[in-house]
Amino acid sequence: MPRLGAKVCLLRCSLLSSLLLLLLRVHETEQNSYCEQIITERHLAELEELADTQMQHPGRVSFKFIDKKQLNDSICYVKAAFPLMGKILKKTEFKENSSNAQKMKMVRSMYDSIDENVDPCIREEDDEERMLSQMCFKEFTTSPYEMLVLVKDFFQEIKRLLQDQKTFEKDCSRVYRRVCLVPKKSGSSPEQRRKEPPAREGRREPLIYITVASVVAVLLATGGLLFYKYKSRVLERPLEDGGCDPEEPERRALQGARECSELETQDL
């Protein structure tokens, strides 16, 4: 009997675990279905039309976002970029009461609805994830058309993931740390490429100093040689003209000094 009781208890525990797993899967399926219905084809079409109206716009806009290709992880890309998308939608304005303004209002409402459920469609990042994901932020400068195409592609990516039954429960700390905290290679971004010419100029500076020093040394040596030749010629001229010894004036001065000394001795 004890063995039978243990088997019954084990069977009950197994059934309970299976039931809990089944309920969780049903809940996830319902959650995905709800979230998937938020982003409709109409929303995507409205975004495409908004982008088309800005194709001829000559201006440029700057905003912070995530480089999807660099991150190379769709779920972590959506989690990191979702708060930034809200800022982009908030500052994108159109003429009041225009058709574009109405379309943008609909898109903002769709964005807000994604997190209005009891269980948010995209799980909010914890403190560590949020801190690391901020290292992945990049400054983009594009045309309004390109920005709106990016917005449309972002929501289309969320819809695709939900259709594939993907959840956003993944902890992306490791992905952010691996991709966004590594030292950036030279030339990997336009900002770094703009900084490369000064770096090359800095490497040329020692060579310039060495060249200038060499030229100065050659000039000094040449000047010294010319001065030596000039002095030699000046000293040789008196000998050629009168045959006089250059040291004769000095000998005469010494002789005069001796004669004066002898006269003084005689007087004494």
Side-chain angles (χ1 to χ4, degrees), residues 29-39 113-114 116-117 119 121:
T29 302
E30 291 178 350
Q31 175 75 359
N32 277 24
S33 178
Y34 164 79
C35 296
E36 184 182 339
Q37 291 174 7
I38 293 176
I39 306 173
S113 298
I114 292 176
E116 282 182 353
N117 196 28
D119 292 327
C121 299

Side-chain angles (χ1 to χ4, degrees), residues 6 93 120 190 209 259:
E93 299 286 348
Y209 293 149
E259 291 177 355

Side-chain angles (χ1 to χ4, degrees), residues 59-236:
R60 307 288 287 176
V61 290
S62 296
F63 55 93
K64 287 184 179 180
F65 208 62
I66 304 295
D67 188 341
K68 182 181 178 182
K69 291 182 180 179
Q70 180 196 20
L71 208 56
N72 197 28
D73 187 302
S74 296
I75 291 177
C76 294
Y77 161 70
V78 170
K79 289 184 65 176
F82 190 77
L84 297 175
M85 179 55 65
K87 295 180 180 180
I88 293 175
L89 296 178
K90 185 176 181 180
K91 74 174 186 178
T92 303
E93 299 286 348
F94 294 96
K95 186 177 179 181
E96 190 175 359
N97 296 325
S98 65
S99 60
N100 282 352
Q102 295 299 320
K103 291 173 184 175
M104 181 52 65
K105 183 178 179 181
M106 183 183 299
V107 172
R108 290 196 194 101
S109 177
M110 176 264 292
Y111 173 85
D112 293 336
S113 298
I114 292 176
D115 279 343
E116 282 182 353
N117 196 28
V118 177
D119 292 327
C121 299
I122 299 175
R123 183 180 70 82
E124 186 178 1
E125 295 177 317
D126 59 30
D127 292 340
E128 182 183 14
E129 279 184 296
R130 189 178 301 107
M131 179 189 68
L132 292 171
S133 67
Q134 290 175 0
M135 302 295 180
C136 303
F137 292 0
K138 283 190 174 183
E139 188 77 18
F140 288 76
T141 300
T142 69
S143 66
Y145 167 77
E146 291 171 319
M147 184 191 72
L148 289 169
V149 168
L150 185 148
V151 173
K152 180 213 165 190
D153 291 344
F154 177 75
F155 287 112
Q156 198 162 27
E157 181 72 7
I158 297 177
K159 188 174 181 65
R160 182 189 66 79
L161 290 170
L162 292 171
Q163 288 175 340
D164 293 342
Q165 301 299 310
K166 302 291 185 182
T167 64
F168 296 92
E169 299 295 323
K170 178 179 179 178
D171 184 349
C172 294
S173 299
R174 185 174 300 177
V175 175
Y176 300 149
R177 188 178 290 107
R178 184 185 72 247
V179 176
C180 303
L181 294 184
V182 295
K184 297 180 180 179
K185 296 180 180 179
S186 178
S188 62
S189 69
E191 290 78 7
Q192 289 175 326
R193 285 195 291 272
R194 285 195 291 270
K195 292 178 182 178
E196 284 182 358
R200 288 197 294 269
E201 290 175 4
R203 290 194 292 269
R204 289 176 186 158
E205 287 180 1
L207 180 60
I208 293 173
Y209 293 149
I210 292 172
T211 303
V212 171
S214 301
V215 172
V216 171
V218 171
L219 291 174
L220 289 174
T222 304
L225 182 61
L226 292 173
F227 179 77
Y228 175 79
K229 288 183 177 180
Y230 173 78
K231 185 176 180 181
S232 299
R233 289 177 182 176
V234 169
L235 293 174
E236 288 173 1

Side-chain angles (χ1 to χ4, degrees), residues 7-68:
K7 289 181 179 180
V8 170
C9 181
L10 181 61
L11 180 61
R12 287 178 179 175
C13 290
S14 299
L15 289 174
L16 182 60
S17 299
S18 300
L19 181 60
L20 288 174
L21 288 174
L22 180 61
L23 290 174
L24 286 174
R25 289 178 181 176
V26 170
H27 174 73
E28 288 178 357
T29 302
E30 291 178 350
Q31 175 75 359
N32 277 24
S33 178
Y34 164 79
C35 296
E36 184 182 339
Q37 291 174 7
I38 293 176
I39 306 173
T40 65
E41 292 298 330
R42 182 183 176 186
H43 289 119
L44 298 177
E46 298 281 12
L47 281 168
E48 188 170 358
E49 290 176 9
L50 276 174
D52 290 343
T53 63
Q54 301 300 306
M55 286 186 68
Q56 304 301 323
H57 198 289
R60 307 288 287 176
V61 290
S62 296
F63 55 93
K64 287 184 179 180
F65 208 62
I66 304 295
D67 188 341
K68 182 181 178 182

